[in-house]
Amino acid sequence: TLPAVQAEFGVARAAAALPYTLTMLGFAAGGVVMGRAADRFGIARTVAAAAVMLGAGYALASAMPGLSAYALAHGVLIGLGAGALFGPVMADASLWFHRRRGLAVAIAASGNYIAGAIWPPIVAAATQAYGWRTTELAIGATLIILVLPLAWLLRTPAPAQPAESNAALG
C-alpha cells in the first residue's frame, strides 16, 4: 500500500514510510504493554483487545484524510495491537509445554513469518483492485471477524508446570 498512500497524500517516499515506522515502534511498545496486560488479565482478553485495536486501527486508517492521522492510527492502534499478537502469545505458548518448549515457541513464532510471506501479495492485489482504503477497511473487518472469536480459544490458562530442581538446571 505504500505507493498508493504516497500517491494519494502527495508525499515523498520517506514521508509515506512514516506509518510503517510508527507501526514498528508501536509493535515494540505493544509487546511490553500488552505482555503486562496478558500477565494481569490473561492472554484471551489481551488478544481480544488486540483484535479490537487492530480492527479499529485499520478502519480508522482507511478513513484518515491526511498522512499524520493515518500514521498515528498505524502507530498507536495497529502497532500496539500487533504487539500483543507476537511476544505475549509466544510467551503463553511456552507455558503449555514442559518438554520441547523451544519447538513450541518456534512454531508459534513461525506463524508470524509465514503470514509475512502470504499476506503481502494478497494485500498488493487487493490494493490494486479495490484501492488502499477499501483494502485496509477489509483487513480491519477480517481481523475482528477472525481474531476476536479465536481469542476465546485461549481462555483456558496454561497448566501449572512442575518445579524444576536446581540439580536439573545446573
Side-chain angles (χ1 to χ4, degrees):
T1 60
L2 182 63
V5 169
Q6 178 185 1
E8 181 161 333
F9 292 135
V11 296
R13 184 82 161 183
L18 179 64
Y20 180 76
T21 302
L22 293 181
T23 300
M24 291 298 102
L25 291 172
F27 182 84
V32 175
V33 171
M34 299 302 261
R36 291 178 77 87
D39 288 344
R40 184 165 183 187
F41 303 110
I43 194 69
R45 287 183 180 159
T46 304
V47 169
V52 171
M53 289 173 71
L54 285 162
Y58 277 106
L60 285 172
S62 74
M64 291 300 162
L67 184 63
S68 297
Y70 176 78
L72 194 59
H74 271 264
V76 176
L77 292 171
I78 295 170
L80 287 173
L85 298 181
F86 188 68
V89 171
M90 284 195 338
D92 188 69
S94 74
L95 297 175
W96 285 87
F97 298 90
H98 184 66
R99 295 182 56 225
R100 302 196 199 311
R101 184 173 290 158
L103 179 61
V105 170
I107 290 169
S110 68
N112 221 25
Y113 300 112
I114 291 169
I118 293 171
W119 284 110
I122 294 169
V123 171
T127 300
Q128 188 171 9
Y130 305 108
W132 70 268
R133 291 183 184 275
T134 302
T135 300
E136 289 211 0
L137 185 60
I139 291 169
T142 301
L143 285 162
I144 294 284
I145 291 167
L146 294 179
V147 177
L148 200 52
L150 288 173
W152 182 77
L153 296 174
L154 300 171
R155 73 193 183 287
T156 304
Q161 297 293 329
E164 295 183 35
S165 70
N166 287 337
L169 296 175

